[in-house]
Amino acid sequence: MASFGILFLMNNKNGLLQSKGYNQIEEDEDAFGTQGRKSRKKAEAQEKVSRVYSGRKAFELFLQAYQYVLWKQCHWLINNRGLPAELETVVRDLWATRYQSLKSMMEYSSDNDSNPTVFSSTSEVESDTTMKEEKSSKETSASKDVLRMVDTLALCYMGMLLLRLPVSVGEVHRWATGEEILFFRAVRFIPREMRNRLPGHYLGALDTRSVLKPDVLQKAVLELILKYNREYGMTFPALNHQLLLFRYIEELAMPLELYPAVTRLSNLLDIRFKFGSSENRHRITSLPEAELISFVIIAAKLSHPFDDRPRHPTTSSEAAALTVDWNVWGRAQQDYEARAKDEGRSGKGDEIKIEEQDVFGMTGDELDNYLDWYERTWISDTGEEPKASKQLLDMFPTGRVDHGMKPKEIRLDTTTEGSQEHGAITHKLKHVQGALRPSRAVSKEDELEIKKPTRRPGSVYKHYRTEDDLPSHARAFYEAAAAVVGLSLTSLVRAVFQTECKLHAWAHRQRKQEAIAAIVETGQMLEDGQNEEAQPENEMEDEEGEEEDREVYSADENQDIYNIR
């Protein structure tokens, strides 16, 4: 039976092959070592269609994705922060102006140009440089039309500035770092159809992975405003500094008497709190918010110095009659920060700063929150296969959190009843205001009786050139003020010192003018006295009669304009 089966297979071998479409070629015994010819059917050539755009089409799609991010940011500001709906229209017009210039640039590029120089794929938030005073260069990022993700936040702020809304750059920075407004890894929220057709360098430009530095946002706002002014002739109004000043004083828990002091100091230098010119854009004082917070700090240093030296006002009604206890202020500030962290109003955005050694000191809740953030940020939620290894993801359960961005809705008005943020600020204010220390008033008459000079408020004024010169209380106050306006501590110290130099220069000019006026007046009196001695008596009588009818104007030379008390 076995031999029959083998024979059957051998006899039916040719038929089986032929039935399957194969041609059996019989080998010739004489043609040793030869093979039959093989014929192959050529496959039809198919045109490969790339799903990824390139050149002008890719750039136009990138502009649409960029515009989509900008729309999402405006939508959040209107619906979650309670800003007026006109903000979307203003920001859209600002973007449309720049969009036309960007499209006109692309008309000169080739369709095959897949890497146009009109966007920045390098992370603009990675640099830790501050706004130092440098010589202006013709080839700077301000003179080039470069698209950066931080410019979306700058455009939103420019729209709020045009509407005169009391929103600071520091607030926008806190929203971005806290991942409330769309900024960090914004590419996650781009529709899948658009992402699939964008080249890698454009996706990288939409993917911000580093912490946003405060100075970077301030510099982006300044450069973009100067660009619109230079290229489109657009002028931006001044800050709504009256409301911003009140918010600064409230958030720093300082006495309200600083408000008129700041107003008077700014009027001395004729400061209007507008963005400076392009020639001075490298000076930190070209930022209006830096100028405003500098005057707040200077007024606080004049009325509430950081040292423990006693200073006596002239009357008990002066602003310096009550001074801040900086030990109480420091404890109130620490309680405010701890309360904000417990309520979830701070600490957002710190996950990106976590390093390997920090994990060992985390509690269970902190680990859960960190893993939730990692899942929400780095694991794809669009139905695609995640980039991370499936075996690694199986080790950690997913799906605990909602991947969508659902930030807590907090209205812009912090005075609303029941607001957690307003409650924390009110608690800090009551704590600090209740611990104000009265200073004993010493009048000028009492000072003459004592026959000893009395140290007055504003005397022994300390200047700090660098952050290393700051004492403990001053450092805590400077850091809180820097967080309010969105500046680094180094930049804020420099801004305050430059403003102090301006005030000292003004005071020097005033003293010089008074001295010159006194010399001129003394010389005029001596000259008049000599002329009177040489004149006859009848001429002197006529001149005295003329002096009685002549109207004389004089200024109070003893008026102390620099005294803010």
Side-chain angles (χ1 to χ4, degrees):
M1 292 293 295
S3 60
F4 178 78
I6 295 174
L7 181 62
F8 177 80
L9 289 175
M10 293 176 62
N11 293 333
N12 290 276
K13 180 179 178 181
N14 296 337
L16 181 62
L17 293 174
Q18 291 176 2
S19 64
K20 290 190 176 182
Y22 294 95
N23 295 326
Q24 180 69 17
I25 301 176
E26 185 178 357
E27 298 181 358
D28 190 1
E29 294 181 358
D30 296 334
F32 178 79
T34 60
Q35 297 290 337
R37 293 185 178 180
K38 298 179 180 178
S39 60
R40 293 183 176 88
K41 185 178 181 181
K42 295 182 179 180
E44 297 180 0
Q46 296 182 356
E47 182 181 359
K48 294 183 179 180
V49 180
S50 177
R51 59 184 294 186
V52 179
Y53 289 162
S54 62
R56 187 178 300 177
K57 293 183 65 176
F59 178 68
E60 291 179 353
L61 185 61
F62 169 71
L63 291 181
Q64 294 177 8
Y66 192 90
Q67 179 176 330
Y68 180 78
V69 173
L70 191 60
W71 174 82
K72 292 277 287 185
Q73 292 172 344
C74 293
H75 184 269
W76 183 86
L77 290 170
I78 295 172
N79 293 277
N80 290 63
R81 301 302 300 186
L83 298 184
E86 292 80 7
L87 176 64
E88 182 177 353
T89 304
V90 175
V91 175
R92 182 184 60 195
D93 293 341
L94 289 173
W95 166 246
T97 304
R98 194 177 185 191
Y99 180 82
Q100 295 300 326
S101 64
L102 289 170
K103 292 207 66 174
S104 63
M105 290 175 58
M106 286 302 297
E107 294 179 357
Y108 300 98
S109 63
S110 173
D111 288 337
N112 296 326
D113 184 10
S114 60
N115 191 17
T117 58
V118 288
F119 74 98
S120 175
S121 60
T122 58
S123 179
E124 65 273 5
V125 297
E126 291 179 355
S127 60
D128 196 14
T129 58
T130 56
M131 298 185 64
K132 299 179 180 179
E133 296 179 12
E134 302 172 351
K135 292 183 179 180
S136 60
S137 173
K138 293 182 180 180
E139 294 296 330
T140 59
S141 58
S143 61
K144 298 178 182 178
D145 207 350
V146 178
L147 278 179
R148 303 170 299 175
M149 280 305 301
V150 71
D151 290 343
T152 59
L153 299 176
L155 283 171
C156 292
Y157 175 79
M158 290 163 59
M160 292 182 282
L161 181 63
L162 288 172
L163 292 176
R164 302 274 293 164
L165 300 177
V167 180
S168 67
V169 178
E171 227 173 345
V172 179
H173 177 261
R174 288 193 294 272
W175 295 337
T177 54
E179 298 185 28
E180 296 183 82
I181 192 172
L182 178 59
F183 178 75
F184 183 73
R185 296 217 66 210
V187 70
R188 295 174 294 160
F189 298 90
I190 301 298
R192 180 179 176 183
E193 294 77 9
M194 300 179 72
R195 290 204 311 266
N196 292 340
R197 296 189 178 277
L198 280 173
H201 51 273
Y202 285 126
L203 290 175
L206 297 170
D207 194 3
T208 304
R209 301 190 177 194
S210 302
V211 181
L212 178 63
K213 304 297 182 181
D215 289 344
V216 173
L217 182 56
Q218 290 277 5
K219 188 176 181 181
V221 171
L222 175 62
E223 290 181 349
L224 207 55
I225 287 179
L226 294 178
K227 178 182 179 60
Y228 273 77
N229 179 263
R230 180 179 61 254
E231 298 185 4
Y232 312 122
M234 185 177 297
T235 303
F236 286 81
L239 297 179
N240 193 346
H241 64 276
Q242 292 88 354
L243 295 180
L244 280 177
L245 176 58
F246 177 78
R247 295 188 62 185
Y248 290 170
I249 296 174
E250 182 184 29
E251 292 183 20
L252 293 174
M254 296 302 293
L256 192 58
E257 285 76 11
L258 290 187
Y259 190 99
V262 171
T263 303
R264 182 165 186 175
L265 288 174
S266 61
N267 290 336
L268 294 179
L269 300 181
D270 195 22
I271 302 297
R272 295 294 176 259
F273 302 108
K274 296 183 66 175
F275 283 90
S277 60
S278 58
E279 291 78 9
N280 299 325
R281 68 172 180 269
H282 293 292
R283 295 183 62 89
I284 187 63
T285 51
S286 61
L287 301 174
E289 287 196 58
E291 286 184 319
L292 183 58
I293 197 65
S294 296
F295 284 116
V296 173
I297 294 177
I298 292 172
K301 290 169 66 177
L302 288 170
S303 302
H304 313 278
F306 298 111
D307 54 30
D308 295 330
R309 297 177 181 178
R311 294 170 176 82
H312 304 282
T314 305
T315 61
S316 58
S317 60
E318 295 181 8
L322 293 175
T323 59
V324 173
D325 189 340
W326 290 108
N327 293 320
V328 176
W329 186 93
R331 291 192 297 268
Q333 182 66 21
Q334 292 177 358
D335 295 341
Y336 170 76
E337 294 174 356
R339 182 174 178 179
K341 187 174 182 180
D342 294 339
E343 294 175 354
R345 291 182 288 106
S346 69
K348 297 179 181 179
D350 295 337
E351 295 87 354
I352 192 65
K353 305 176 185 177
I354 293 178
E355 299 180 354
E356 292 84 353
Q357 60 271 18
D358 300 332
V359 178
F360 298 100
M362 289 183 176
T363 62
D365 293 337
E366 290 175 345
L367 281 174
D368 289 338
N369 294 333
Y370 177 73
L371 291 177
D372 291 344
W373 170 83
Y374 189 89
E375 180 184 355
R376 180 178 64 251
T377 306
W378 299 100
I379 298 179
S380 176
D381 61 338
T382 58
E384 301 176 351
E385 288 295 327
K387 296 181 179 180
S389 174
K390 188 176 185 303
Q391 290 79 8
L392 179 62
L393 292 178
D394 290 340
M395 297 174 61
F396 302 95
T398 58
R400 177 175 177 269
V401 298
D402 185 7
H403 295 290
M405 179 180 288
K406 294 182 178 180
K408 180 172 55 178
E409 295 188 4
I410 303 177
R411 308 295 290 182
L412 178 66
D413 186 8
T414 56
T415 60
T416 304
E417 294 287 338
S419 173
Q420 293 180 343
E421 186 176 0
H422 177 257
I425 294 177
T426 303
H427 182 267
K428 181 173 68 170
L429 271 171
K430 291 181 178 179
H431 197 184
V432 175
Q433 300 292 330
L436 292 177
R437 299 178 302 183
S439 298
R440 183 172 60 89
V442 178
S443 63
K444 294 182 179 180
E445 293 77 8
D446 295 339
E447 185 178 3
L448 293 176
E449 294 178 1
I450 298 174
K451 297 181 180 180
K452 183 179 179 181
T454 303
R455 187 182 294 114
R456 298 296 184 181
S459 61
V460 196
Y461 186 90
K462 294 292 184 180
H463 301 274
Y464 307 111
R465 286 178 175 269
T466 63
E467 57 181 306
D468 296 332
D469 300 335
L470 295 172
S472 58
H473 294 318
R475 174 176 285 271
F477 186 70
Y478 271 68
E479 288 177 349
V484 169
V485 297
L487 280 173
S488 65
L489 180 60
T490 303
S491 298
L492 180 59
V493 172
R494 187 182 299 109
V496 174
F497 183 74
Q498 290 179 3
T499 307
E500 290 171 344
C501 292
K502 292 180 181 179
L503 287 172
H504 278 286
W506 175 89
H508 178 71
R509 290 194 302 269
Q510 291 295 117
R511 289 193 296 267
K512 187 176 180 180
Q513 293 176 2
E514 292 175 359
I516 294 175
I519 293 174
V520 171
E521 183 179 359
T522 303
Q524 186 68 31
M525 292 176 61
L526 293 175
E527 184 179 354
D528 293 343
Q530 295 176 357
N531 294 334
E532 289 176 358
E533 292 179 357
Q535 288 178 351
E537 294 182 358
N538 55 353
E539 293 182 2
M540 294 179 60
E541 292 176 358
D542 295 338
E543 188 173 349
E544 289 177 0
E546 293 177 359
E547 289 290 340
E548 292 178 358
D549 298 334
R550 187 181 302 167
E551 186 175 5
V552 180
Y553 297 92
S554 62
D556 186 4
E557 298 176 357
N558 298 322
Q559 184 181 6
D560 188 3
I561 303 179
Y562 190 65
N563 182 10
I564 66 169
R565 301 191 300 271

